[in-house]
Amino acid sequence: MSDELRRTLIDPPQKVKLMYQAVIDLINGNRNIDAIKVSDITQQAGIGKGTAYEYFNSKDEIIVKALIYEMMQRLDEVQEILYSDKSFQEVIYCILDIIAVHFHENRTFCTIFKIWMGAYDIPSSMQDIYNEVHHMVHKNHLMRMTDRLIEIGRMEDKIGQQNRLLCTTALNAQIVSYVIYIISVTKDDDSSVSLDTVKEFVYQNIIKTLS
């Protein structure tokens, strides 16, 4: 990861954190990301408008990095689980629980996931920045975490010796299917099943695909 990305994402200065939180609060308050202005961000953060340009080149950069920063906070939760003494099944369940909780309670997290799935269109000016930053995060964090998850599965003989790309594809496919269920189901839907049932279904599909 470049020094610039590390400075603004891994250990950002306090004023940058305030701007990130401002973006998150605005999105969680049902503001569309393409309608957010720099003045909205700095006013919400309680800092001067000019301060934003001391750290960022554009509004789009602030918003995209705020989204990625929020995602990385959730990845920290996942990483803690990956290096605990939990079993492969428990790790899968915990990851799915994190997704479910934040998907319902955190509109920013929901937005990030939809962008990742290609189900949320962002302005082209943001897309280029997102692609660059997300690639760096994927390379430096997501790949290592996926490797760790595969390692846990293999230590318990839950996952065979398929190549890494196949394992990653299968894991991502099941996570996406879980998210699609969460998006589709409503509280008043009589045909819905419990999340525990869905988690077990996802876990068993992972085992069937990769054992």
Side-chain angles (χ1 to χ4, degrees):
M1 181 173 288
S2 70
D3 290 341
E4 176 59 23
L5 284 179
R6 187 175 299 279
R7 185 177 76 90
T8 54
L9 287 175
I10 301 299
D11 188 24
Q14 182 61 26
K15 289 181 180 179
V16 172
K17 287 183 181 179
L18 288 172
M19 284 186 276
Y20 288 162
Q21 189 59 52
V23 172
I24 291 166
D25 290 343
L26 288 166
I27 294 174
N28 287 345
N30 291 322
R31 185 78 64 89
N32 290 329
I33 60 176
D34 54 350
I36 297 173
K37 299 178 292 188
V38 172
S39 57
D40 296 327
I41 297 170
T42 53
Q43 182 177 357
Q44 181 79 17
I47 59 178
K49 184 176 178 180
T51 303
Y53 296 104
E54 295 176 13
Y55 299 96
F56 302 100
N57 294 318
S58 66
K59 172 199 76 173
D60 293 342
E61 184 183 0
I62 303 173
I63 293 173
V64 169
K65 287 187 175 179
L67 291 170
I68 298 295
Y69 181 76
E70 171 65 13
M71 181 184 74
M72 291 178 68
Q73 304 311 298
R74 307 290 74 79
L75 290 180
D76 285 345
E77 294 179 40
V78 174
Q79 180 160 299
E80 185 175 340
I81 294 165
L82 287 170
Y83 288 91
S84 67
D85 59 357
K86 296 183 184 299
S87 68
F88 182 67
Q89 182 177 21
E90 289 172 330
V91 169
I92 295 292
Y93 277 25
C94 286
I95 292 173
L96 297 179
D97 283 339
I98 289 173
I99 292 171
V101 168
H102 288 289
F103 216 94
H104 287 302
E105 299 179 358
N106 185 335
R107 189 168 180 263
T108 305
F109 180 81
C110 180
T111 300
I112 298 165
F113 232 104
K114 287 182 177 179
I115 293 172
W116 175 64
M117 292 169 58
Y120 189 102
D121 292 329
I122 58 176
S124 58
S125 54
M126 289 187 189
Q127 189 68 57
D128 291 341
I129 300 171
Y130 173 81
N131 290 341
E132 177 185 2
V133 177
H134 185 267
H135 173 74
M136 296 298 294
V137 172
H138 182 270
K139 181 179 179 181
N140 288 276
H141 294 274
L142 289 173
M143 287 175 61
R144 288 203 301 265
M145 294 170 72
T146 302
D147 287 345
R148 173 59 181 167
L149 182 57
I150 293 169
E151 178 186 12
I152 295 169
R154 284 180 174 161
M155 286 191 298
E156 297 182 17
D157 292 325
K158 302 294 186 182
I159 294 180
Q161 296 302 314
Q162 295 90 342
N163 69 58
R164 180 183 172 281
L165 179 59
L166 176 60
C167 291
T168 301
T169 301
L171 289 168
N172 285 342
Q174 291 306 313
I175 290 173
V176 168
S177 70
Y178 181 74
V179 171
I180 290 173
Y181 177 82
I182 292 174
I183 293 173
S184 302
V185 73
T186 64
K187 291 181 179 179
D188 299 326
D189 187 352
D190 293 335
S191 65
S192 64
V193 296
S194 70
L195 279 183
D196 285 341
T197 300
V198 179
K199 287 190 296 185
E200 178 64 17
F201 177 79
V202 168
Y203 174 72
Q204 291 300 332
N205 279 345
I206 291 172
I207 299 302
K208 289 175 185 176
T209 304
L210 296 178
S211 61

